[in-house]
Amino acid sequence: AQSVTQPDIHITVSEGASLELRCNYSYGATPYLFWYVQSPGQGLQLLLKYFSGDTLVQGIKGFEAEFKRSQSSFNLRKPSVHWSDAAEYFCAVGARSGGGADGLTFGKGTHLIIQP
Amino acid sequence: NAGVTQTPKFRILKIGQSMTLQCTQDMNHNYMYWYRQDPGMGLKLIYYSVGAGITDKGEVPNGYNVSRSTTEDFPLRLELAAPSQTSVYFCATTGLLSYGQYFGPGTRLTVT
């Protein structure tokens, strides 16, 4: 069975500082990996995705993520955070590009707090 | 192009009442999903559909039912509401050539 672990429940970062959110997955085949962001009271928005090719993927809002097969990780990074980045971040894995018949398996999320 | 819409946005139910959460998409996607989100637990799949007339259970289907009579609509039915169903419910869709899923804004349900 596939699973996703986000080890950090909360992370606090100063505005302008760099950010790394950790994600580890368990999956038997080549995974489709995603990062979503959820602002308070909102739905989930896709930040970026990985399914093959270059292991460093770029997303929206200045985010990037690196796939490391040997570590079963897909960590999200941003060089300089803005106050508007404060949100909940979810890592997800699926069997197909859209999740397919089984949907996506989500981690429990990391709550990002931005200090002024 | 509205994407994925959900109604209502908020609802309070008494124990034992029933209700239907509506989900409509205008992206002509085959796949539709219902997830519930509980604090600190991420999203759990309740039911999904791979096309009109075809539905199947996800990880946490107990207490819920779904139907899919059209491509656009995928309602979620709660027959006998229980406090354990207090949650935020998200509908999502994806297509055969899509990457990732597209989420609606959610319905916040409280059962008291």
Side-chain angles (χ1 to χ4, degrees):
Chain A
Q2 57 201 42
S3 66
V4 176
T5 301
Q6 294 180 245
D8 304 303
I9 298 174
H10 301 279
I11 281 190
T12 301
V13 177
S14 297
E15 190 169 16
S18 62
L19 169 71
E20 183 170 32
L21 302 182
R22 296 183 290 164
C23 172
N24 292 98
Y25 67 91
S26 173
Y27 191 69
T30 301
Y32 289 84
L33 292 160
F34 308 87
W35 274 99
Y36 283 86
V37 60
Q38 183 182 31
S39 298
Q42 303 296 314
L44 279 71
Q45 180 183 21
L46 181 65
L47 279 177
L48 47 76
K49 57 190 181 291
Y50 171 80
F51 59 100
S52 68
D54 193 347
T55 56
L56 184 64
V57 294
Q58 303 296 320
I60 62 171
K61 305 185 179 187
F63 286 92
E64 65 179 27
E66 185 172 13
F67 171 64
K68 293 186 177 180
R69 185 185 298 276
S70 61
Q71 299 177 17
S72 297
S73 69
F74 188 56
N75 294 349
L76 182 72
R77 302 195 293 248
K78 187 170 185 178
S80 176
V81 298
H82 185 262
W83 65 266
S84 59
D85 293 323
E88 192 84 15
Y89 290 81
F90 293 95
C91 182
V93 64
R96 301 180 189 180
S97 60
D102 294 327
L104 295 176
T105 298
F106 287 84
K108 295 184 178 181
T110 297
H111 185 61
L112 176 63
I113 301 166
I114 306 297
Q115 281 185 335
Chain B
N1 188 344
V4 183
T5 58
Q6 291 183 241
T7 57
K9 292 189 187 304
F10 305 93
R11 183 73 185 268
I12 299 174
L13 282 183
K14 295 188 185 300
I15 295 171
Q17 286 185 323
S18 62
M19 77 164 293
T20 299
L21 283 66
Q22 301 291 346
C23 175
T24 300
Q25 56 109 350
D26 62 3
M27 295 182 285
N28 201 32
H29 283 167
N30 298 86
Y31 296 94
M32 297 188 74
Y33 310 86
W34 276 105
Y35 294 91
R36 59 177 288 171
Q37 182 183 31
D38 301 302
M41 296 302 294
L43 280 77
K44 302 287 187 184
L45 183 64
I46 305 171
Y47 269 96
Y48 64 92
S49 169
V50 301
I54 307 170
T55 63
D56 208 344
K57 297 177 181 178
E59 183 181 358
V60 290
N62 291 343
Y64 307 94
N65 276 300
V66 295
S67 60
R68 182 100 181 267
S69 57
T70 66
T71 299
E72 294 78 20
D73 299 304
F74 189 42
L76 178 71
R77 179 83 176 162
L78 284 71
E79 290 295 348
L80 291 171
S84 61
Q85 293 177 305
T86 293
S87 188
V88 181
Y89 292 85
F90 288 100
C91 178
T93 76
T94 193
L96 289 175
L97 300 179
S98 301
Y99 292 105
Q101 297 180 359
Y102 297 85
F103 284 80
T107 294
R108 184 175 295 274
L109 175 67
T110 301
V111 182
T112 61

